[in-house]
């Protein structure tokens, strides 16, 4: 969810920068998120990225978002690495037959011989799609991060820092994952920019930007100098990020990419529209509305819940105090959101648990009361979570 401790960056604010984290196939999540931001009127004065973020960012900076969006919609292992799509999909599922193993062994042997996976196809795609003149003349300032392993030093470069004719070289260098054949520029070897700063906000702060929307792909990977950036308070950072770890950075299966694009789109809507929810999307709820809903639950039903959970009813404590202070916290412990929550978020976590269990469509903005009806929760159950949700109807 958006960070409520910092001011929200809104449409029309001046000098907004966009930072795109590295993450291979997880770049599909970024593209989905940027689509939602553009649809709702956001404009950016600068875009910086690392690795796949540098690639996505280049198309955004040269005002060709539709081109990169369409590329992600049709992207595959075959397009990028000349690898068989079906075999790679089975490899990700660890479902290989003898022919698949032979095929992968051959490709691995070629990669070892070439000192990494061939990136010729990636370069062809970038040579065809990146327009250096458009990037240099764009009103959107473009920047990237890479790591020079010859000098053992990270390089944070804006477009004016990159020599003429070398833009694609530096984008390839920024995107040079360890499994790829090394990128070489002017006899120096380069590695993926994630080795230096996988989520470039430091370079935006140094450039004087004061507001940045950051689209993450690895929630648990550090942002370089993050604590000091927050301490200095020179730049406001609003994060759009997945609640769960996304699939592998090498999972370029088309169905996975489309799923991540959809997830990024709805997570950005959550930020833009201040939606509630963890893995689902609800029109904004008020704590008092949830409390009103809880106070309408039949006291006998609460007693049944207490019995199922072995919660002792205490003299002098109302049945609704027992529900809010004891029963709901116990129920939350059975969901993915195990940490202590406000009453509102605790109820959301419990409802989402049942929605996920019953495979209710995730990518839709719901009214909370409507989705309870759709949850499929039944009162004739011994599952305390499902029983609780059914009582909210």
């Amino acid at each position: 969810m958006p960070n409520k401790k910092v001011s929200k960056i809104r449409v029309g604010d001046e000098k907004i920068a966009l930072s795109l984290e590295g993450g291979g196939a997880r770049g599909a999540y970024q593209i989905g998120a940027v689509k939602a931001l553009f649809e709702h009127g956001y404009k950016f004065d600068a875009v910086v990225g690392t690795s796949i973020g540098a690639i996505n960012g280049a198309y955004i900076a040269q005002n060709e978002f539709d081109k990169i969006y369409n590329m992600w919609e049709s992207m595959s292992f075959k397009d990028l690495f000349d690898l068989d799509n079906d075999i790679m999909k089975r490899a990700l599922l660890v479902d290989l037959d003898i022919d698949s193993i032979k095929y992968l062994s051959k490709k691995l042997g070629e990669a070892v011989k070439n000192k990494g996976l061939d990136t010729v196809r990636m370069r062809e795609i970038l040579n065809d799609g990146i327009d250096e003149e458009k990037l240099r003349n764009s009103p959107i300032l473009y920047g990237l991060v890479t790591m020079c392993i010859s000098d053992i030093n990270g390089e944070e470069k804006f477009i004016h820092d990159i020599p003429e004719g070398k833009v694609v070289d530096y984008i390839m260098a920024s995107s040079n994952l360890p499994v790829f054949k090394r990128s070489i520029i002017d006899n120096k070897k380069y590695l993926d920019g994630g080795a230096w700063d996988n989520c470039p906000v430091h370079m935006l702060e140094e450039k004087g930007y004061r507001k940045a929307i950051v689209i993450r792909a690895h929630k648990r990977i550090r942002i370089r100098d993050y604590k000091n950036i927050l301490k200095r308070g020179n730049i406001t950072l609003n994060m759009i990020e997945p609640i769960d770890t996304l699939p592998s950075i090498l999972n370029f299966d088309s169905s996975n990419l489309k799923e991540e694009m959809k997830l990024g789109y709805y997570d950005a809507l959550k930020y833009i529209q201040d939606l509630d929810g963890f893995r689902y999307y609800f029109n904004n709820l008020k704590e008092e509305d949830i409390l009103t809903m809880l106070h309408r639950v039949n006291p006998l039903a609460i007693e049944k819940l207490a019995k199922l959970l072995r919660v002792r009813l205490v003299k002098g404590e109302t049945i609704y105090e027992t529900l809010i202070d004891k029963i709901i916290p116990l129920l939350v412990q059975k969901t993915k959101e195990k940490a202590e929550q406000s009453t509102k978020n605790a109820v959301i976590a419990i409802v989402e648990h049942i929605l996920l269990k019953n495979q209710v469509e995730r990518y839709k903005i719901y009214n909370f009361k409507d989705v309870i009806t759709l949850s499929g929760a039944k009162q004739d159950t011994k599952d305390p979570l499902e029983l609780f949700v059914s009582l909210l109807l």
Side-chain angles (χ1 to χ4, degrees):
M1 292 183 179
N3 188 343
K4 303 293 185 183
K5 295 181 181 178
V6 297
S7 58
K8 177 83 172 283
I9 296 171
R10 300 192 180 278
V11 173
D13 285 357
E14 295 183 356
K15 298 288 185 183
I16 305 175
L18 177 66
S19 175
L20 303 174
E21 189 169 38
R26 295 171 181 173
Y29 177 89
Q30 296 173 357
I31 288 300
V34 173
K35 179 175 170 39
L37 289 166
F38 281 161
E39 284 180 354
H40 286 78
Y42 280 85
K43 295 180 180 179
F44 301 101
D45 292 273
V47 56
V48 296
T50 297
S51 193
I52 195 63
I55 294 174
N56 286 339
Y59 283 89
I60 292 167
Q62 67 186 38
N63 196 30
E64 292 187 321
F65 175 76
D66 288 346
K67 183 184 284 189
I68 188 65
Y69 185 87
N70 292 334
M71 284 170 59
W72 276 104
E73 279 201 311
S74 60
M75 197 177 294
S76 69
F77 288 106
K78 186 69 176 175
D79 295 330
L80 293 174
F81 311 116
D82 194 23
L83 294 171
D84 185 280
N85 292 320
D86 291 336
I87 290 177
M88 292 307 299
K89 186 173 182 177
R90 290 202 296 272
L92 290 167
L93 297 171
V94 196
D95 179 24
L96 296 171
D97 56 24
I98 188 65
D99 289 335
S100 299
I101 293 171
K102 288 179 179 178
Y103 172 85
L104 291 172
S105 296
K106 179 184 176 182
K107 289 294 183 179
L108 180 60
E110 291 172 358
V112 171
K113 183 179 178 181
N114 293 326
K115 297 182 180 179
L117 282 175
D118 198 329
T119 56
V120 169
R121 289 198 174 221
M122 282 181 61
R123 179 173 283 276
E124 288 174 350
I125 291 169
L126 293 180
N127 281 334
D128 183 57
I130 300 299
D131 188 319
E132 183 167 334
E133 184 177 355
K134 282 185 179 179
L135 269 181
R136 292 191 182 280
N137 295 324
S138 174
I140 304 172
L141 180 63
Y142 173 68
L144 57 76
V145 178
T146 187
M147 175 74 182
C148 180
I149 52 179
S150 297
D151 294 341
I152 317 177
N153 189 45
E155 296 185 6
E156 300 174 351
K157 290 186 177 291
F158 285 99
I159 187 68
H160 50 259
D161 301 316
I162 300 174
E164 293 280 347
K166 299 281 188 179
V167 168
V168 169
D169 290 338
Y170 274 92
I171 293 174
M172 288 291 295
S174 179
S175 312
N176 195 251
L177 292 170
V179 296
F180 294 165
K181 190 174 181 179
R182 286 286 73 77
S183 281
I184 298 176
I185 304 175
D186 297 332
N187 296 316
K188 291 184 178 182
K189 292 182 178 180
Y190 284 81
L191 182 64
D192 189 284
W196 178 254
D197 186 357
N198 201 48
C199 189
V201 293
H202 173 265
M203 63 189 294
L204 289 173
E205 182 197 30
E206 285 200 332
K207 197 69 174 176
Y209 286 93
R210 295 291 175 258
K211 297 177 181 179
I213 292 177
V214 182
I215 305 179
R216 304 216 59 189
H218 303 267
K219 279 186 64 175
R220 294 169 183 82
I221 291 182
R222 68 184 179 87
I223 295 175
R224 185 176 182 82
D225 202 31
Y226 186 57
K227 289 184 179 179
N228 288 327
I229 290 171
L230 292 182
K231 186 176 180 180
R232 288 190 291 268
N234 294 328
I235 185 168
T236 295
L237 303 176
N238 283 187
M239 307 286 185
I240 297 174
E241 56 191 359
I243 191 168
D244 297 311
T245 300
L246 296 173
S248 167
I249 63 172
L250 295 176
N251 188 347
F252 286 93
D253 176 62
S254 60
S255 60
N256 173 63
L257 299 180
K258 288 174 182 175
E259 177 76 10
E260 290 194 18
M261 289 171 76
K262 197 180 294 185
L263 177 63
Y265 182 84
Y266 274 87
D267 280 356
L269 288 182
K270 184 179 291 184
Y271 167 79
I272 295 164
Q273 299 179 14
D274 291 317
L275 301 175
D276 283 301
F278 296 99
R279 291 167 183 81
Y280 283 79
Y281 308 89
F282 306 119
N283 285 319
N284 202 252
L285 290 164
K286 296 179 181 178
E287 188 87 11
E288 53 264 36
D289 293 337
I290 293 294
L291 293 174
T292 298
M293 190 180 293
L294 293 176
H295 278 88
R296 288 174 180 163
V297 176
N298 189 316
L300 294 176
I302 299 175
E303 289 180 11
K304 182 180 177 181
L305 258 178
K307 187 175 181 180
L308 275 174
L309 292 167
R310 298 180 181 179
V311 172
R312 187 166 61 89
L313 301 178
V314 178
K315 189 176 180 180
E317 182 178 77
T318 70
I319 194 70
Y320 296 103
E321 287 173 334
T322 301
L323 175 65
I324 293 168
D325 297 337
K326 295 179 179 177
I327 292 176
I328 288 177
L330 276 177
L331 292 174
V332 171
Q333 289 296 310
K334 299 177 183 293
T335 73
K336 289 189 175 184
E337 314 310 321
K338 299 184 186 302
E340 186 176 342
Q341 305 285 344
S342 66
T343 300
K344 182 182 86 170
N345 282 338
V347 171
I348 288 172
I350 298 165
V351 170
E352 284 196 359
H353 179 89
I354 300 304
L355 295 176
L356 289 168
K357 175 185 172 184
N358 293 331
Q359 298 182 327
V360 174
E361 169 63 34
R362 182 176 175 185
Y363 300 116
K364 183 177 177 180
I365 299 174
Y366 291 100
N367 288 318
F368 194 64
K369 290 181 181 179
D370 293 342
V371 86
I372 294 170
T373 303
L374 294 172
S375 71
K378 297 178 176 62
Q379 292 188 18
D380 58 342
T381 176
K382 292 184 179 179
D383 178 351
L385 288 155
E386 188 168 343
L387 175 59
F388 172 79
V389 173
S390 73
L391 298 177
L392 298 177
L393 292 170

